[in-house]
Amino acid sequence: MASKDAKISLKAVKGTRDWSGSDLLLRDHVFETISNVFKLHGGTPLDTPVFELREILSGKYGEDSKLIYNLEDQGGELCALRYDLTVPFARWLAMNNVQQIKRYQIAKVYRRDQPAIARGRMREFYQCDFDIAGQYDPMIPDAEILRVISETFDALDQEIIIKLNHRKILDGLFAVAGVSADKIRPISSAVDKLDKEPWETVKKEMVEQKGLPEEVADKIGQYVLNKGTVDEMIKFIRSDEGLAANDEIKAGLADMDLLSAYSKELNTFDKISFDLSLARGLDYYTGVIFEVVQKPSSKKEESRYPGKPTKGKEETSAGVGSIAAGGRYDNLVGMYGKKQIPCVGISFGVDRIFTILKARQGDKAGRSRQVDVYVMAFGGKEFDGLLLQRMSVARQLWEGGIRAEYSAKVKPRLPQQFKAADDVPLAVILGQDELADNKVRIKVLGAGKGGEEKKEDEKDQGLLVSRDNLVEEVKKLLQTTSLPIR
Amino acid sequence: MASKDAKISLKAVKGTRDWSGSDLLLRDHVFETISNVFKLHGGTPLDTPVFELREILSGKYGEDSKLIYNLEDQGGELCALRYDLTVPFARWLAMNNVQQIKRYQIAKVYRRDQPAIARGRMREFYQCDFDIAGQYDPMIPDAEILRVISETFDALDQEIIIKLNHRKILDGLFAVAGVSADKIRPISSAVDKLDKEPWETVKKEMVEQKGLPEEVADKIGQYVLNKGTVDEMIKFIRSDEGLAANDEIKAGLADMDLLSAYSKELNTFDKISFDLSLARGLDYYTGVIFEVVQKPSSKKEESRYPGKPTKGKEETSAGVGSIAAGGRYDNLVGMYGKKQIPCVGISFGVDRIFTILKARQGDKAGRSRQVDVYVMAFGGKEFDGLLLQRMSVARQLWEGGIRAEYSAKVKPRLPQQFKAADDVPLAVILGQDELADNKVRIKVLGAGKGGEEKKEDEKDQGLLVSRDNLVEEVKKLLQTTSLPIR
């Protein structure tokens, strides 16, 4: 029956994927875990359209604007797929004149980037954002965002490091080192590569490609290769007269003093690595910036918090890069011509988190179909399949809130039915004689038994119960059977 | 701080909307209700990319293809936004060679149609699909789909009618009336308008625009204006010698005989109106087709099931049209050049269902922010705001799984804090003296009280508890307070 369309390529678009089965269940588990943390903090959900007016997106992403997917001009408004969830959130805030909110959004975003599927980098991928918008006292919302990060990865059973820096300190540091104002952003994006490249390569880029005098580059190197706890780094910066005298750095350090106190109270202090090499690409950040990476395995642990600031390349995490990132952006909402609304937020890279969790899960993937009961029938020579009776019993189970299926055959054979019930913990078995007595049998199947007994016991006749008590008896058994993911 | 971008239009794209607050909560309630029903029936979720290769979508939607949104050709594959969830499902089935599955998908689809927002017709809108794919005995999956429809609207507390027809009976009927094979689809789409237009208008379209002889049109009218229960209509069709002799109609009636038996067992029989005027636009249907409408208000009820088939225009439901629709499509998967996989499914128009539920809800919308406890502090002249202590208490509550907030001010005033807690049922109030004793006060706020007492009782000092028992005491109180949506 193949039609003339037979030669079309049967695939999902490059850089996208279908989600189904146990992958989808694991992904939804991640979503649920994360949004439960958001709700603990008073977050309210937001859902925006998948496309925006092109002019809403333009001028927000710097060089990365070339990665935006446009919709074809088919008449009417010019649109583009969203690139992140931050700009639509800023548009929504400005449009509705919302003065303060904690909002979260879990949705797909789109980037015409070169996909690297094994490392979890796709053209269509999920982001999972939590942002606090509003005029508040300094660093109180920022400290809560760090707490949200910490709770989320605790809930996902992931050990992490929050790499953190402050745009004002970074910009001040460049100024003190002798970088001219117009070169600060390009030099900043070179420094941001220090998590992937050795210092020598980055220095070369700054000197040879970006025309920075070598002594300025060396001075930058003296600063940005340092990292440590918030308190250690505050002390380190204050101990340098040049840095300590800079006004931007002073303002940044005042924020960091508060963060030190708040993060101790909120129990996030030990997870933060104040890392002067962290720069983050996007233009719109104005205060703290942060990136979350997996904590390296324990043998490397000693070198991480070395009593005094250390120098060197950060161990990158299991090939997937940062698994969450964010920062403060106080001027973005004002770009839409209304009042400024300061914001700070975090975006979780759920596809990357999924990749890590799936690797950890290994072969222990859960069931993809989650059915409680398979309704089956058998009988002798005169057996007519008992289809209407199977329907009737299934209806009774559905009405009792029990997930039930039956074979969509008029006369299914018994082995077929057991095969179809392979991943189902219970069978309700109908026989003509029992039905005449208003009774059915409930049998615990292999999938409902613990490891040892997993094999089907063919001699087990099951429990004979009245149809009047069927739902109750099934519920009782479901509580005692060994169920995989429920 | 308004920038040069001040003049961009600050809006969501025409025909799209943002979802937030109580609207989003209601919508998610609809999603959850529907997917719980899908799960009862062993449904497994699927998530496909928002865009597909254009060639996957082409040739599937007839005239409506002009409504497809294309992505701009920016190099690489040519893509288009999905128009529905059925074609991506068929692509996924063919691509993965899945032989049988019950899959569901809740996702946005895209149509460049003229939006009619008040009636719930948008360019970006949600569909919520459940389909059964696989080679099964006739009408068993179809009957289960009707059961899914019935359970879903029961769960949403909506009274409905399932208008149902069979493509084979409809096509046979046109043939018997004298419609030539090439005119069957155009005449069918004229007949489909009978839910909105009177017979005379439809007849005029058939005769004047589509060149049908008047006597053929009249003969069609004799047939398609009839509707009734499945049993009544089977009898009606069999009583007409011309119809009864047609092979296609015979095959359709054999299906309807099975559906009669199965729908009685599954308790959907009384909800089905076998309506010969139902035709459905899409080309790919091959068997039963159905459309769900709200049941008209009770005063019109008598005329609906009149003992024998009735003629006339169906009462349309509250201006929103059909709220779910579907049917059997046995040849779609085969269009992708692999094996045929017969399918039957239903698509719920959740935006329309949302419109109805919201109208019914009226002003009783739930809280949009769902916080259990507001942690506040007050004190005398020396009051320093107790920020670190508020953080510490909030952390304790978060760790206990309680949704908690505090003011993001160092020294918030007490009225400010009560105002911020306007929709929060409980306050935990910190005072310097109590804290010295390791104690805090819990106070039930206005939002946590029943209707009568709703006003804030300012003299109520609350319950003094030890911080060691705080989580426990809060949980106890949350169970007894009158909470809106939880």
Side-chain angles (χ1 to χ4, degrees), chain B residues 6-142:
Chain B
K7 282 188 194 98
I8 65 170
S9 46
L10 205 56
K11 61 191 279 291
V13 173
K14 186 177 175 188
T16 72
R17 59 163 295 184
D18 299 313
W19 290 88
S20 64
S22 56
D23 275 10
L24 183 46
L25 292 180
L26 176 61
R27 192 199 73 181
D28 283 350
H29 163 71
V30 173
F31 288 167
E32 202 187 332
T33 305
I34 296 181
S35 47
N36 281 341
V37 172
F38 294 165
K39 287 178 198 164
L40 275 185
H41 290 265
T44 72
L46 175 69
D47 176 25
T48 62
V50 80
F51 44 70
E52 294 279 343
L53 295 175
R54 284 190 204 169
E55 59 189 12
I56 295 281
L57 303 191
S58 74
K60 306 300 182 302
Y61 301 110
E63 273 188 24
D64 285 348
S65 294
K66 65 179 186 297
L67 303 181
I68 293 174
Y69 274 99
N70 287 327
L71 291 192
E72 191 175 282
D73 180 3
Q74 294 169 289
E77 298 163 326
L78 292 179
C79 308
L81 298 186
R82 63 184 165 215
Y83 178 88
D84 63 12
L85 303 177
T86 309
V87 165
F89 174 52
R91 188 265 304 156
W92 178 82
L93 282 176
M95 183 176 140
N96 295 288
N97 201 19
V98 174
Q99 290 306 308
Q100 52 182 56
I101 194 167
K102 291 176 182 168
R103 92 83 180 76
Y104 67 91
Q105 183 168 10
I106 299 179
K108 287 171 172 174
V109 301
Y110 299 88
R111 298 184 186 180
R112 293 180 48 259
D113 211 342
Q114 206 44 42
I117 285 114
R119 285 162 51 211
R121 193 171 72 201
M122 304 287 282
R123 287 178 169 176
E124 174 184 69
F125 61 98
Y126 275 93
Q127 281 190 339
C128 198
D129 282 22
F130 181 82
D131 295 79
I132 303 179
Q135 198 77 53
Y136 297 115
D137 283 343
M139 301 308 287
I140 301 178
D142 312 63

Side-chain angles (χ1 to χ4, degrees), chain A residues 9 11 18-19 27 47 50 55 70 72 74 77 91 102 112 124 137 265 395 405 410, chain B residues 9 11 18-19 27 47 50 55 70 72 74 77 91 102 112 124 137 265 395 405 410:
Chain A
S9 46
K11 61 191 278 293
D18 300 314
W19 290 88
R27 193 199 72 181
D47 176 26
V50 80
E55 58 189 12
N70 287 327
E72 190 175 284
Q74 294 169 291
E77 298 162 327
R91 189 264 304 155
K102 292 176 182 168
R112 292 178 50 258
E124 174 184 70
D137 284 343
E265 209 59 55
R395 168 158 76 94
E405 285 195 306
V410 174
Chain B
S9 46
K11 61 191 279 291
D18 299 313
W19 290 88
R27 192 199 73 181
D47 176 25
V50 80
E55 59 189 12
N70 287 327
E72 191 175 282
Q74 294 169 289
E77 298 163 326
R91 188 265 304 156
K102 291 176 182 168
R112 293 180 48 259
E124 174 184 69
D137 283 343
E265 208 59 56
R395 171 159 76 94
E405 284 195 308
V410 174

Side-chain angles (χ1 to χ4, degrees), chain A residues 182-424:
Chain A
D182 60 311
K183 286 217 169 97
I184 283 187
R185 284 278 75 82
I187 293 304
S188 179
S189 73
V191 165
D192 199 44
K193 292 173 187 159
L194 278 171
D195 62 340
K196 296 186 196 81
E197 309 283 354
W199 165 247
E200 286 311 318
T201 313
V202 169
K203 179 181 166 185
K204 209 169 156 188
E205 177 181 335
M206 295 197 286
V207 176
E208 291 178 14
Q209 287 175 40
K210 299 192 168 158
L212 203 69
E214 191 167 350
E215 64 277 15
V216 176
D218 285 336
K219 190 135 194 212
I220 291 173
Q222 281 173 35
Y223 295 140
V224 299
L225 292 174
N226 291 284
K227 58 179 187 257
T229 69
V230 172
D231 290 353
E232 285 162 5
M233 292 302 293
I234 289 174
K235 202 172 149 195
F236 167 75
I237 296 167
R238 289 223 164 96
S239 72
D240 182 298
E241 272 181 40
L243 295 180
N246 177 279
D247 282 341
E248 275 205 283
I249 292 180
K250 276 184 196 164
L253 284 178
D255 279 354
M256 296 306 289
D257 282 335
L258 292 174
L259 187 66
S260 167
Y262 299 163
S263 66
K264 284 168 190 160
E265 209 59 55
L266 295 177
N267 205 17
T268 55
F269 183 86
D270 290 338
K271 291 183 177 163
I272 300 170
S273 168
F274 187 171
D275 184 335
L276 288 175
S277 74
L278 180 74
R280 305 271 309 127
L282 292 174
D283 286 356
Y284 54 59
Y285 290 116
T286 55
V288 282
I289 46 179
F290 30 82
E291 248 180 50
V292 181
V293 294
Q294 282 184 285
K295 191 169 172 175
S297 57
S298 52
K299 57 180 175 179
K300 282 159 194 148
E301 191 141 8
E302 285 167 48
S303 63
R304 232 175 19 86
Y305 290 133
K308 59 175 185 171
T310 53
K311 302 195 178 189
K313 189 177 144 194
E314 178 81 52
E315 181 75 10
T316 57
S317 54
V320 299
S322 69
I323 50 183
R328 172 162 286 283
Y329 51 101
D330 284 348
N331 302 331
L332 185 61
V333 181
M335 287 175 78
Y336 296 106
K338 297 218 177 175
K339 222 178 109 179
Q340 283 297 7
I341 303 172
C343 297
V344 58
I346 178 73
S347 179
F348 292 88
V350 273
D351 293 73
R352 290 175 176 187
I353 295 170
F354 167 84
T355 303
I356 294 167
L357 294 184
K358 191 176 170 185
R360 193 175 67 182
Q361 189 182 48
D363 295 334
K364 292 176 299 175
R367 291 187 298 164
S368 65
R369 196 176 59 141
Q370 302 184 298
V371 174
D372 301 316
V373 174
Y374 202 88
V375 181
M376 47 179 83
F378 72 117
K381 244 183 281 180
E382 307 281 290
F383 181 54
D384 73 345
L386 297 173
L387 174 59
L388 295 182
Q389 291 82 351
R390 285 183 282 133
M391 285 180 169
S392 167
V393 168
R395 168 158 76 94
Q396 188 186 357
L397 293 169
W398 293 330
E399 283 166 357
I402 291 161
R403 298 174 295 190
E405 285 195 306
Y406 50 86
S407 166
K409 299 257 177 208
V410 174
K411 288 190 198 179
R413 289 179 305 119
L414 199 59
Q416 273 181 340
Q417 295 178 85
F418 273 110
K419 185 153 178 281
D422 192 36
D423 55 355
V424 178

Side-chain angles (χ1 to χ4, degrees), chain B residues 435-480:
Chain B
L435 281 175
D437 266 0
N438 195 37
K439 285 187 175 145
V440 296
R441 291 187 182 277
I442 312 177
K443 181 172 166 164
V444 179
L445 300 175
K449 291 177 182 171
E452 292 297 299
E453 310 176 74
K454 201 123 192 176
K455 222 180 128 299
E456 200 49 56
D457 178 359
E458 289 178 16
K459 279 177 201 143
D460 171 18
Q461 291 290 308
L463 182 69
L464 192 66
V465 301
S466 160
R467 274 196 64 181
D468 300 336
N469 308 327
L470 178 60
V471 168
E472 196 183 319
E473 293 291 342
V474 164
K475 283 187 174 162
K476 224 184 284 172
L477 275 169
L478 283 174
Q479 278 170 354
T480 59

